[in-house]
Amino acid sequence: MMQILMLLQTSFPPDIRVENEVLSLQNNGYKVHLLCSNKGKDLVYESWNGSTIHRLLKPGKSNFINSTLQLPVFLNLLWLIRSISLINKYDIKVVHVHDLPLTPIALYLKYFQKVKIIYDMHENYPAALRVWKKTGLEYWLKHPEVFKYIEQVIIPRFDRLIAVVDENRHRILGEYNVPEEKIYVVSNYVNLNTFVADTPYPDVLFPVDVKVFLYTGGLDVHRGIDITIEAFQKLSKNHDDILLLVVGGGKSAAGKRTELELRSLVDADPLFSEKVIITGWIDIKYIPWLIKQSDFCLLPQGANDHTNTTIPHKIFQYMSFGKPVIAADATPVKRFLAESGGGVTFISDDSENYHEVLEMVLNMDYAKMSYFAREKTKESYTWAIAERELLALYASLH
């Protein structure tokens, strides 16, 4: 049985993509050890669906100190020493690293521990940093240009690369001297076995004869929530039978937005505020049920170098329940909606065009769109299909 060490810079669980990959590998004869940070009171060791989670630190009294010690930048000795220990203890043969900050450690492990290494690109990380606009110390530790240089150095040296979408695969092939057979596309398709609407969310009542538009995700400015409010405010002037349900909250990556600020923006117009519900962060287990109860789903994050080379889980989650998707025209999103017939796009960052598209959808027969979304997802966008590519990658390492 091949022993795999996954490196994940965040805490775990939850992480939909990592969960799907771990389950697929475990169910197909691999043993997965996952090393991740510990930002709460989680156990240092824990069994998870046959895999083993190894958390970097015991929970301490100072979250700031714990967070600082666990920063996944450059060759953090804490990550490095723990990784070497796990490799030696469990005879690890493959190190599978999620996202760019921990890749220098994987590269060290390749040359000094003689393991094979896989870089799982959840996104175009340097481009994402430019969009996230980190501040303070984190800006300098995660400067976009620094990580662009790291990407240039490490990508050609990895044994295998994973992209989540063809657009990022093409970017890597175009920018770096990487053989095509080294890079696999394991997309963020929906796992129909686990993404099921079996947990009702009791704090939201869905009115009868009202069309519900659902947004799920963070409230960061770059995610398009501001223009969603603008467009929906215009829509509400001509429609009484609509509701905007915003499921998400907390501070953005740049620390500039909270759900309280968004509520203030909505509450400035009392008539409009009656047509908006903001839940704040809720447990992911409720999301499938909320999608199922809604009529339309929104994906308003605009096109840029980041969104043009990645694809969010939620587009496939939305379509799996037959919900028409109204989305900004980021390249992969536009392509998937065109292929499936499961939604429409508006011009990124254009609230007027966004409003026009919302009006169009409300005034059309969208039953076909719902059917196409659901059927195309079942046919082409399920995790079972992505899993084949993941297993093919691992088979190529033998």
Side-chain angles (χ1 to χ4, degrees):
M1 177 183 292
M2 181 184 284
Q3 304 277 335
I4 299 165
L5 174 61
M6 284 192 176
L7 303 180
L8 181 65
Q9 62 177 316
T10 58
S11 56
F12 180 87
D15 186 308
I16 295 172
R17 178 176 179 81
V18 178
E19 289 172 23
N20 284 336
E21 289 184 347
V22 170
L23 288 173
S24 291
L25 291 167
Q26 286 287 149
N27 292 337
N28 285 276
Y30 297 92
K31 174 62 178 178
V32 179
H33 299 269
L34 190 142
L35 177 60
C36 63
S37 61
N38 191 351
K39 297 180 180 178
K41 298 180 179 179
D42 294 319
L43 298 173
V44 176
Y45 301 99
E46 185 177 356
S47 177
W48 187 85
N49 289 293
S51 65
T52 305
I53 302 173
H54 306 263
R55 296 189 175 91
L56 201 61
L57 286 177
K58 295 179 181 178
K61 295 181 179 179
S62 172
N63 287 331
F64 174 78
I65 293 174
N66 268 350
S67 297
T68 303
L69 289 172
Q70 296 176 99
L71 280 173
V73 290
F74 312 115
L75 286 173
N76 182 316
L77 286 177
L78 204 58
W79 283 95
L80 184 59
I81 292 169
R82 190 70 181 280
S83 297
I84 292 172
S85 173
L86 292 174
I87 287 171
N88 292 332
K89 182 175 182 179
Y90 296 104
D91 192 25
I92 300 292
K93 299 300 183 185
V94 177
V95 173
H96 182 143
V97 57
H98 293 273
D99 274 328
L100 195 56
L102 290 171
T103 54
I105 289 175
L107 201 60
Y108 176 95
L109 297 173
K110 174 180 179 174
Y111 291 117
F112 292 95
Q113 295 293 311
K114 307 303 180 185
V115 294
K116 294 190 176 178
I117 56 174
I118 299 168
Y119 172 26
D120 198 331
M121 296 175 283
H122 292 200
E123 54 208 337
N124 177 349
Y125 198 83
L129 289 174
R130 287 192 287 272
V131 172
W132 294 339
K133 300 184 186 302
K134 301 284 187 179
T135 58
L137 177 62
E138 200 169 13
Y139 171 78
W140 295 107
L141 290 175
K142 293 188 177 181
H143 193 283
E145 296 308 314
V146 172
F147 276 87
K148 183 63 179 177
Y149 176 74
I150 291 174
E151 185 181 76
Q152 291 170 352
V153 171
I154 66 95
I155 277 185
R157 292 170 170 81
F158 267 71
D159 296 296
R160 296 292 183 272
L161 303 164
I162 299 176
V164 300
V165 72
D166 283 331
E167 284 79 359
N168 201 32
R169 181 177 185 273
H170 297 322
R171 176 184 76 90
I172 296 301
L173 292 174
E175 292 185 17
Y176 306 113
N177 186 25
V178 176
E180 286 193 27
E181 61 270 18
K182 272 193 174 185
I183 183 166
Y184 291 71
V185 176
V186 180
S187 201
N188 286 327
Y189 293 157
V190 60
N191 190 330
L192 297 178
N193 295 323
T194 57
F195 197 76
V196 292
D198 57 1
T199 309
Y201 185 64
D203 294 344
V204 172
L205 298 177
F206 286 82
V208 178
D209 298 325
V210 168
K211 299 298 183 186
V212 178
F213 292 77
L214 173 68
Y215 169 84
T216 64
L219 303 184
D220 316 59
V221 173
H222 70 265
R223 292 180 183 269
I225 191 63
D226 288 51
I227 65 162
T228 296
I229 296 297
E230 291 176 24
F232 204 86
Q233 194 165 19
K234 295 173 185 175
L235 189 71
S236 70
K237 296 184 185 302
N238 299 321
H239 299 274
D240 292 324
D241 58 341
I242 59 172
L243 175 70
L244 174 62
L245 176 58
V246 178
V247 179
K251 287 188 176 181
S252 71
K256 295 179 179 178
R257 166 72 82 231
T258 68
E259 61 264 33
L260 294 178
E261 292 171 319
L262 189 63
R263 290 178 200 276
S264 297
L265 184 64
V266 171
D267 290 344
D269 182 345
L271 292 177
F272 172 57
S273 67
E274 295 177 357
K275 300 175 182 178
V276 181
I277 296 174
I278 303 170
T279 66
W281 281 121
I282 66 173
D283 195 300
I284 194 172
K285 67 184 180 183
Y286 299 116
I287 299 298
W289 185 84
L290 290 170
I291 293 174
K292 187 176 182 180
Q293 307 309 310
S294 302
D295 297 285
F296 306 97
C297 292
L298 306 175
L299 188 55
Q301 189 167 358
N304 52 52
D305 287 345
H306 173 221
T307 56
N308 284 337
T309 51
T310 191
I311 192 73
H313 292 276
K314 55 190 170 184
I315 186 173
F316 306 115
Q317 295 170 348
Y318 293 161
M319 290 197 297
S320 71
F321 284 102
K323 304 304 174 181
V325 179
I326 298 98
D329 58 352
T331 304
V333 169
K334 189 173 182 178
R335 173 170 65 84
F336 277 111
L337 291 182
E339 286 177 1
S340 65
V344 292
T345 59
F346 63 89
I347 299 170
S348 293
D349 305 315
D350 186 333
S351 64
E352 186 57 45
N353 183 247
Y354 194 174
H355 167 233
E356 291 169 0
V357 170
L358 290 172
E359 285 278 11
M360 178 189 73
V361 170
L362 273 177
N363 290 295
M364 68 187 290
D365 180 3
Y366 57 87
K368 284 186 178 180
M369 202 183 300
S370 298
Y371 174 81
F372 289 144
R374 183 169 49 250
E375 293 307 307
K376 184 65 174 178
T377 302
K378 290 178 181 178
E379 174 190 328
S380 303
Y381 306 148
T382 69
W383 179 252
I385 293 169
E387 179 186 77
R388 294 175 201 161
E389 193 81 351
L390 178 67
L391 296 177
L393 181 157
Y394 269 90
S396 74
L397 293 173
H398 293 293

